[in-house]
Amino acid sequence: MSSDPLPYREFYYPLNVFMHILTHEEGGVSALHYGLFASPDEGIAAAQERSTAMLLERLPPPPARLLEAGIGLGTTLELLTRIGYDVTGITPDAQQIAMVNERYGDAVRVRCAKFEEFDEGATYDAIVFQESSQYIASEALFARAKALAPLVVVLDEFSLKPIDTPGALHALSEFLEAADRHGFEVTEEVDLSAQAAPSIDYFTQRFPRYRNALIADLGLTSQQVDELIAGGVVYSGRYADGTYGYRLLRLERRT
Ligand SMILES: C[S@@+](CC[C@H](N)C(=O)[O-])C[C@H]1O[C@@H](n2cnc3c(N)ncnc32)[C@H](O)[C@@H]1O
């Protein structure tokens, strides 16, 4: 156990906010990805586990060699390792690496690196992006992926309609064009938008209740809390009108 009662305090904003709320609501945080809800009243932990289960179903069987890009807190990495995969996990965030080391020690193999720059001279049977592809330019992602593995599995959210807003999600069309340019074809696409959207509401409903805790414990300003609430409403609206959506994508390199 960490001696720091808030080991995620210095995690980048707003990740620290999500972790604070999950810690208080759920008694801990195991994942930084959306839940995929079977029903709106399902618990978020069960919904998050569904995401990982869907990912696992798309992978070659163990002991395949995997690269997990963007490991977050390392929960999926530890699971993949435990069930027999030969897996390396990467994240460019040293604080996440420290937390994963503290949680799992030598039981998992981690490297502090950006995917688009990662090169250990190894190749893999598959690369997994569980809500990390959105942080990597699509062109750079597939340029690197084609040298590393014949299979890419992605769970992530995208812009489905044109949106001219700074910081908007990657356009799915551009992501798929980049994949195609680098020799990958989509062999499966599952629209999970409706199942993912309740994750946004989970937090938006709770921000007002956690206003004081977020200010006192994480040093947010009241204005930042207002912005989180307003931002959540806008985000939710983008899912509702189809501007944003969530996809599972399986992409195979053409031979
Ligand atoms: C939303 S979190 C998801 C974490 C984890 N996959 C999960 O599902 O809980 C995004 C992850 O992507 C990582 N990330 C951001 N930029 C990256 C990059 N250029 N290369 C690899 N990982 C990156 C972040 O550090 C973080 O671990």
Side-chain angles (χ1 to χ4, degrees):
M1 285 287 289
S2 168
S3 53
D4 182 348
L6 291 184
Y8 48 82
R9 187 200 305 268
E10 304 308 328
F11 270 43
Y12 61 85
Y13 172 84
L15 197 58
N16 55 353
V17 171
F18 298 128
M19 292 189 72
H20 203 45
I21 292 177
L22 283 172
T23 300
H24 283 82
E25 291 279 320
E26 312 295 328
V29 191
S30 61
L32 304 178
H33 55 256
Y34 280 33
L36 301 176
F37 290 79
S39 66
D41 57 353
E42 185 175 46
I44 193 163
Q48 286 180 314
E49 283 168 21
R50 182 169 296 104
S51 157
T52 303
M54 292 188 76
L55 191 68
L56 288 178
E57 284 167 15
R58 271 76 190 175
L59 296 176
R65 289 162 301 146
L66 303 182
L67 177 64
E68 188 192 357
I71 55 172
L73 308 179
T75 305
T76 300
L77 176 66
E78 191 278 332
L79 173 62
L80 291 168
T81 306
R82 183 157 37 87
I83 62 178
Y85 284 105
D86 178 1
V87 52
T88 299
I90 61 173
T91 171
D93 188 320
Q95 289 171 13
Q96 290 170 19
I97 295 279
M99 191 175 271
V100 172
N101 282 336
E102 187 168 309
R103 282 185 161 185
Y104 303 117
D106 293 340
V108 295
R109 186 161 66 229
V110 288
R111 305 280 185 262
C112 194
K114 289 185 174 181
F115 172 75
E116 57 276 39
E117 296 167 4
F118 182 67
D119 187 2
E120 284 197 326
T123 56
Y124 308 87
D125 297 308
I127 309 171
V128 170
F129 296 90
Q130 196 172 18
E131 283 177 40
S132 50
S133 71
Q134 62 184 273
Y135 300 95
I136 305 166
S138 303
E139 179 63 28
L141 187 153
F142 286 105
R144 191 73 203 107
K146 79 172 167 207
L148 293 179
L151 172 66
V152 170
V153 183
V154 175
L155 274 155
D156 218 331
E157 49 182 359
F158 296 91
S159 296
L160 307 180
K161 295 180 182 172
I163 173 168
D164 189 15
T165 303
L169 294 169
H170 289 166
L172 179 60
S173 56
E174 289 171 16
F175 188 79
L176 297 179
E177 282 160 21
D180 183 57
R181 265 197 305 281
H182 290 286
F184 284 90
E185 65 186 351
V186 177
T187 53
E188 189 180 3
E189 177 174 353
V190 186
D191 182 355
L192 295 166
S193 308
Q195 290 94 320
S199 305
I200 303 159
D201 302 332
Y202 174 94
F203 289 103
T204 310
Q205 286 160 7
R206 285 165 177 78
F207 290 143
R209 212 168 352 114
Y210 280 87
R211 178 183 294 273
N212 291 341
L214 294 173
I215 293 169
D217 301 340
L218 297 183
L220 266 67
T221 63
S222 195
Q223 187 189 338
Q224 279 178 306
V225 180
D226 288 338
E227 287 165 4
L228 282 171
I229 295 167
V233 172
V234 169
Y235 217 91
S236 210
R238 289 187 187 147
Y239 265 81
D241 71 13
T243 302
Y244 282 177
Y246 199 101
R247 292 287 189 274
L248 181 149
L249 295 165
R250 194 172 187 279
L251 302 115
E252 289 183 55
R253 196 175 58 196
R254 285 187 284 270
T255 47

